Amino acid sequence: MTDERANREMHRVRAKRQRDGWVLQIAGTDEVWIRRLTEAVSAARSRISEVTDIPLDEIDIQVDIHLDEPLQSRKREAVQAVLNARRAQEKAAQAYRDVARSLQESGATGAEIALILDVSRQRVSQLLADK
């Protein structure tokens, strides 16, 4: 990221579902209605450019999507479930690495470790190489 881009203001846009589309709330402007959420960034850029005379390519947008309950809670739970699964996967991978190293230190060959852990020899090499 260039210094110029790093110093630019991030324009936050709040998107909320309404009827057959979305309402964008942009600070310093009127609300903007769009049919599809995929239009949010370009619509917000256009509106901000109209109000401020900043060129479109110099406007950075962050869209905050607000959902009504219970959908917002369900989304939050789903995101948390994915994060928990990632942490569990990382923990399991670390356990595999630890077991592979312990087996190697006890004198087991790569082929033996592969059989014990029910993985390929290539995977054993990866496990032993990972720090």
Side-chain angles (χ1 to χ4, degrees), residues 53-121:
D53 292 326
I54 298 172
L56 290 172
D57 62 346
E58 294 181 15
I59 299 173
D60 294 325
I61 302 290
Q62 177 180 334
V63 179
D64 298 321
I65 302 167
H66 292 266
L67 303 171
D68 290 333
E69 292 297 336
L71 201 49
Q72 182 67 32
S73 292
R74 290 176 54 203
K75 176 195 162 213
R76 194 175 310 113
E77 290 168 6
V79 168
Q80 188 60 52
V82 168
L83 292 173
N84 291 344
R86 279 191 196 135
R87 286 186 197 113
Q89 186 176 18
E90 290 168 5
K91 187 175 180 180
Q94 184 60 51
Y96 255 73
R97 287 190 292 276
D98 292 346
V99 170
R101 282 192 197 101
S102 294
L103 287 166
Q104 184 183 44
E105 290 167 3
S106 72
T109 66
E112 292 170 330
I113 296 170
L115 287 170
I116 293 166
L117 296 179
D118 193 27
V119 297
S120 69
R121 289 182 186 183

Side-chain angles (χ1 to χ4, degrees), residues 11-13 26-27 29 43-54 56 59-61:
H11 296 270
R12 295 185 70 138
V13 176
I26 309 166
T29 73
R45 268 196 189 112
S46 293
R47 185 67 182 123
I48 291 167
S49 182
E50 288 171 9
V51 171
T52 64
D53 292 326
I54 298 172
L56 290 172
I59 299 173
D60 294 325
I61 302 290

